[in-house]
Amino acid sequence: MNAQQLGENIKQRFAAKVIDFETLGSDQLYVTITPDSLVEVAEHLYQDQGCRYVINGGTDRRQQRDAFLITHFFAQDEEKIYIAVHTEVGADDPQVDSITPVIPAANWSERETRDMVGVVPVGHPDPRRLVLSDDWPEDLYPLRYDVAHDVHPPPAEGVAPERLEPPEGASVVPIGPFFPVLEEPAYFRVFVEGEQVVGADYRGFYSHRGIEKLGCSVLTYNQVPFIAERICGICGYVHSCSYCQAAERAAGIEVPDRAEYIRTIMLELERLESHTLWLGIAGHIIGFDTVLMQTWRMREPLMWLCEQITGNRKTYGMNLVGGVRRDIKPEIYGDLRGVIDKIGDEWAELAEAIPGDSTLMARLQGTGILTPEVARARGAAGPTARGSGLAIDVRVDHPYAAYDRVEVNKCVYDSCDNRARARVRLGGTIDSINIIHQALDDMPDGPIMAEIDEELPAGRQAMSAVEAPRGEVFHWVLTGAENRPERWRVRAPTYANLQCVPPMLVGNALADVPISIGSYDPCFSCTERMEVVDVNSGQVRVYTEEQFRAEYDQPGAK
Amino acid sequence: MITSKLKEAILSLRPGRVTLKYPFAPHDPEGDFRGYPELDTDKCIGCGACAAVCPARLIMIQDIDQNTRRMVRLLERCIFCGRCADVCPEDAITMTKHFELSTDSGREDMVAECEVFMATCQRCTRCYEPANPLDKIMEPGFRDDEIKRGGQDSPYEPIQSD
Ligand code: SF4
Ligand code: SF4
């Protein structure tokens, strides 16, 4: 099945409810449906067509259409198709049916759309603020075009987040708000009975920087890649790559072959940097600092190599719309192969030593269980999904850059624990090295940047995904006038993976909490919320400050 | 178990000492490293191309009058991408290897200013021919700075030249 056929299927089934559909190549489908059919269509895609939920985004189109555009993105991994389901809601009544009751993975992003664009998801089980801070004014929606990119509402008093009382008899162990082992802002409060974790609450979104807004208001097409690269400090190249691919695809720009190979090599070098970094941190979390020292020692020559190729150890600054800025010169191939082979040899030794180390394994085995059902329902991506037996990998399922010309193994384990996620990364590292060798073998000569003679046409759209070290990075670009996107939507993999954390923590021993969180290799973005799991009912609730007060602020309950 | 520990020990012992003497001995960056972007004020013609492409939007252009264009670079925001150096038609900007940029004397150390005599210039932008239309100058003509105009909440005070 290709995108055209899938579109026809949907059209046939939902008839007049499908206003229109169009395709981009054989692998991207854009369906526009009536607002009242959103839930049925979403459920059909998720249940009957076996699609995976990616994210939701909202676009303020009041200037063009007097409406808000709500878009749900799906992926059909077996058929290699990305699907965007558009629906327009009138500007005078900005409401849309929530699909979270049928697809739990839409939980965060529907609320984000409400926060940022002001379209209310009706019937959302948890319709409260997610991204904006508690003192942000009620009716100021930052992603609307009539809100300036740099508004700073005055801070309000008395909106400090209220704490949740733990369940009867349990004690609270706070981890954060500065997450100590990953040195990032995230706040977990773990409720324990003795050693046993019985619940957890999470607050995040402390570092929301409004990057999408910048991309649609003040930056130009060629400035965005550099800001996109700063979405993440460890794997930023995936974002600039994904953005550029989306813009290129939308405008119909053919990227030269050599540039595609260079992107592939840089992406894999970044994966090596990220996985070696992760293994070190994971060792550090469980108190095995030898692993930290050794993996980071192994990693350092790689950083120097990247500096030689790109001009910087990290945040390479290589991508522009149309190709890459710097070539990988043939003189450096030898060094490159040498450095990665050295890592490969030592990595293999390490990967062999680790499984025999029973103290180490005891920390990883059977801890932090994430079932495949929870992983799919909450949209898990990358090693987190592959450690729970879900065989998804964008490099294979939706090849981009030169991945259709190299061989990639999907590294999948199904023990669903911290060990499985570690093994996915251990194996993935060796695989990266093989991919780089293949790419160097086949790399064609030629230009590295496409000739662009005209400005990008407005009103075109494209999706692009990249398999980041942590999972699928997804970008959607709707081109606009004035040399910048009209809308640029980004999903980082941790956005999905983090939604899997609270249910995973319950039932662990407290000592296993840091490594369980660390096993996702989380890259915390942002929430001004708390998520609470009730161990007895398994129900997840999220509280606003008022509700906390109402429920827990009785006299004597402080 | 024991063999695993032995393997790990060998792996750790083999490389010997790997730490560098830096900062007690200099450490030169590799190849085409992108460090502090240095401006040759004698070469700058005030075309504004660098300001148009800078992703950090740190190059402010202030047209003080018909004759004078003041370019202020708030380099504390610089992300060392080197785009300004790429597009400059006069090769006035060089990405140096200088990376030790922390300073104890306040942000002035990271602010670079130059004033360009524009004489009869109409600010038509024709002195900069972008190789790629996406890198065009977005705002021809006289202007004040984009960052400052963004709102009263801009963290930057207007910079006074002496
Ligand atoms: S190096 Fe990049 S961020 Fe720095 S001034 Fe030049 S264009 Fe701006
Ligand atoms: S691009 Fe070069 S010549 Fe033009 S304003 Fe910038 S530094 Fe001056």
Side-chain angles (χ1 to χ4, degrees):
Chain A
M1 190 161 52
N2 62 25
Q4 181 69 26
Q5 289 157 339
L6 181 61
E8 277 158 18
N9 282 355
I10 296 172
K11 175 86 197 165
Q12 206 165 28
R13 187 183 163 115
F14 294 99
K17 289 173 182 169
V18 175
I19 298 169
D20 188 19
F21 76 88
E22 55 182 91
T23 56
L24 183 61
S26 61
D27 60 335
Q28 297 200 1
L29 172 65
Y30 300 86
V31 193
T32 307
I33 58 169
T34 56
D36 59 333
S37 58
L38 179 58
V39 178
E40 309 173 52
V41 174
E43 192 169 15
H44 172 69
L45 287 172
Y46 182 67
Q47 299 291 3
D48 310 337
Q49 299 285 356
C51 292
R52 174 169 59 82
Y53 187 74
V54 180
I55 199 163
N56 170 231
T59 309
D60 180 1
R61 303 211 79 199
R62 285 174 299 163
Q63 270 173 319
Q64 296 90 342
R65 310 262 305 158
D66 198 31
F68 293 100
L69 181 69
I70 296 296
T71 313
H72 288 280
F73 297 98
F74 293 84
Q76 198 344 314
D77 296 317
E78 272 143 44
E79 307 288 350
K80 305 190 186 310
I81 305 171
Y82 275 105
I83 303 133
V85 178
H86 292 305
T87 186
E88 268 184 354
V89 297
D92 45 344
D93 182 27
Q95 306 199 5
V96 68
D97 291 336
S98 166
I99 64 163
T100 304
V102 290
I103 306 175
N107 186 329
W108 279 18
S109 57
E110 284 194 328
R111 287 153 63 196
E112 185 181 349
T113 298
R114 195 270 332 278
D115 282 11
M116 305 305 275
V117 191
V119 178
V120 178
V122 178
H124 193 293
D126 209 355
R128 278 141 301 193
R129 189 173 274 198
L130 177 84
V131 175
L132 299 174
S133 64
D134 284 323
D135 61 352
W136 189 269
E138 248 338 302
D139 45 8
L140 185 61
Y141 302 107
L143 270 181
R144 291 191 174 184
Y145 69 76
D146 47 6
V147 175
H149 73 280
D150 57 353
V151 282
H152 289 185
E157 296 292 323
V159 288
E162 200 71 8
R163 288 182 177 180
L164 174 77
E165 293 296 319
E168 190 73 41
S171 334
V172 182
V173 179
I175 304 179
F178 194 64
F179 194 76
V181 275
L182 297 166
E183 280 105 31
E184 281 196 79
Y187 186 23
F188 291 89
R189 292 175 72 241
V190 182
F191 304 143
V192 292
E193 274 170 18
E195 272 267 282
Q196 191 83 359
V197 177
V198 295
D201 65 14
Y202 167 72
R203 292 185 66 236
F205 286 84
Y206 289 109
S207 48
H208 195 268
R209 290 157 291 170
I211 286 180
E212 285 178 20
K213 178 71 181 181
L214 287 179
C216 318
S217 60
V218 289
L219 301 177
T220 58
Y221 281 118
N222 265 348
Q223 288 175 316
V224 175
F226 299 91
I227 303 301
E229 199 159 24
R230 278 156 179 83
I231 291 173
C232 180
I234 299 170
C235 39
Y237 192 74
V238 297
H239 285 286
S240 67
C241 220
S242 189
Y243 159 78
C244 288
Q245 288 176 177
E248 287 151 5
R249 192 83 197 268
I253 297 169
E254 286 277 338
V255 179
D257 276 0
R258 189 171 177 87
E260 295 196 319
Y261 274 88
I262 292 173
R263 283 182 179 169
T264 307
I265 292 171
M266 293 317 299
L267 285 166
E268 292 307 321
L269 286 173
E270 186 171 74
R271 193 181 320 280
L272 283 178
E273 281 184 355
S274 183
H275 282 354
T276 42
L277 177 130
W278 173 82
L279 185 65
I281 298 270
H284 176 63
I285 294 174
I286 56 179
F288 192 5
D289 275 334
T290 311
V291 175
L292 171 69
M293 296 298 171
Q294 294 309 320
T295 50
W296 285 36
R297 170 184 61 73
M298 285 154 56
R299 179 176 182 258
E300 191 58 23
L302 187 61
M303 309 293 288
W304 292 338
L305 183 87
C306 290
E307 183 175 297
Q308 232 172 319
I309 296 174
T310 70
N312 214 335
R313 289 161 65 89
K314 266 309 323 159
T315 30
Y316 310 132
M318 285 275 274
N319 280 323
L320 283 177
V321 174
V324 292
R325 292 171 67 201
R326 287 192 185 184
D327 203 355
I328 298 183
K329 300 190 187 81
E331 302 90 86
I332 211 172
Y333 290 6
D335 286 356
L336 207 169
R337 289 184 196 268
V339 167
I340 57 173
D341 279 341
K342 180 113 198 300
I343 294 181
D345 292 346
E346 292 199 278
W347 193 263
E349 283 181 55
L350 202 64
E352 201 188 311
I354 285 176
D357 191 325
S358 47
T359 23
L360 197 61
M361 275 299 142
R363 296 299 311 278
L364 299 176
Q365 210 158 343
T367 54
I369 299 283
L370 176 70
T371 62
E373 294 74 35
V374 173
R376 174 167 147 82
R378 297 206 167 203
T384 304
R386 293 199 289 280
S388 290
L390 305 186
I392 51 172
D393 187 325
V394 188
R395 293 174 294 175
V396 182
D397 301 333
H398 309 273
Y400 50 92
Y403 283 103
D404 53 347
R405 283 151 274 173
V406 295
E407 200 184 314
V408 186
N409 290 322
K410 278 187 191 174
C411 206
V412 184
Y413 290 90
D414 56 9
S415 58
C416 304
D417 53 0
N418 290 328
R419 185 182 61 152
R421 294 187 280 274
R423 289 173 79 182
V424 170
R425 290 194 179 83
L426 286 170
T429 306
I430 301 291
D431 204 33
S432 286
I433 293 170
N434 294 336
I435 295 171
I436 296 171
H437 280 306
Q438 293 176 49
L440 283 175
D441 291 343
D442 305 344
M443 186 141 82
D445 289 333
I448 54 170
M449 180 61 87
E451 292 276 339
I452 300 177
D453 328 306
E454 287 171 16
E455 289 179 35
L456 304 194
R460 306 258 196 98
Q461 55 179 336
M463 302 175 266
S464 167
V466 162
E467 181 75 15
R470 297 162 162 137
E472 176 196 50
V473 158
F474 177 89
H475 287 232
W476 171 62
V477 170
L478 173 63
T479 60
E482 293 179 35
N483 200 19
R484 68 173 57 98
E486 181 186 333
R487 182 76 168 93
W488 165 44
R489 179 70 173 133
V490 180
R491 192 207 69 173
T494 304
Y495 193 89
N497 291 340
L498 216 46
Q499 296 186 58
C500 306
V501 167
M504 181 200 61
L505 291 183
V506 172
N508 279 297
L510 178 61
D512 294 328
V513 167
I515 184 63
S516 298
I517 297 171
S519 75
Y520 283 46
D521 198 4
C523 189
F524 294 110
S525 4
C526 4
T527 321
E528 201 54 67
R529 270 295 58 79
M530 303 194 186
E531 189 160 274
V532 182
V533 183
D534 184 328
V535 68
N536 299 320
S537 64
Q539 195 190 11
V540 179
R541 296 191 61 189
V542 179
Y543 291 78
T544 64
E545 187 190 346
E546 292 74 40
Q547 288 169 321
F548 275 139
R549 285 186 192 281
E551 233 170 280
Y552 295 99
D553 216 14
Q554 283 110 22
K558 260 259 127 64
Chain B
M1 175 71 193
I2 301 279
T3 43
S4 266
K5 286 288 174 211
L6 275 176
K7 280 183 195 158
E8 285 158 15
I10 293 170
L11 194 65
S12 307
L13 286 170
R14 201 183 324 133
R17 182 140 140 203
V18 293
T19 41
L20 304 177
K21 287 254 186 296
Y22 182 81
F24 302 108
H27 175 63
D28 291 329
E30 303 276 353
D32 300 325
F33 179 79
R34 304 185 304 263
Y36 184 85
E38 206 166 66
L39 172 70
D40 182 343
T41 48
D42 292 342
K43 288 189 182 166
C44 177
I45 56 168
C47 69
C50 51
V53 299
C54 174
R57 296 174 297 121
L58 63 80
I59 304 172
M60 302 200 293
I61 297 181
Q62 296 167 327
D63 287 314
I64 298 167
D65 54 41
Q66 166 67 53
N67 287 330
T68 324
R69 173 166 269 191
R70 185 199 283 159
M71 319 253 323
V72 185
R73 292 172 161 73
L74 306 168
L75 287 167
E76 71 224 89
R77 285 171 69 124
C78 183
I79 58 173
F80 310 102
C81 63
R83 287 283 286 153
C84 51
D86 286 358
V87 299
C88 177
E90 301 297 313
D91 285 332
I93 303 173
T94 320
M95 298 307 285
T96 63
K97 291 203 173 178
H98 186 188
F99 64 93
E100 289 159 319
L101 299 174
S102 49
T103 164
D104 56 3
S105 54
R107 61 184 287 255
E108 292 74 29
D109 269 8
M110 292 300 285
V111 175
E113 248 183 83
C114 83
E115 276 183 21
V116 186
F117 181 62
M118 305 293 277
T120 55
C121 176
Q122 294 304 309
R123 274 80 158 167
C124 66
T125 74
R126 280 205 296 265
C127 53
Y128 163 63
E129 201 54 68
N132 176 340
L134 305 187
D135 293 338
K136 68 174 182 176
I137 291 179
M138 295 293 289
E139 199 180 0
F142 287 86
R143 61 171 151 183
D144 205 349
D145 123 72
E146 198 188 336
I147 303 170
K148 208 171 94 237
R149 201 187 47 228
Q152 74 280 24
D153 300 309
S154 164
Y156 299 101
E157 298 290 325
I159 290 164
Q160 309 294 338
S161 68
D162 33 37

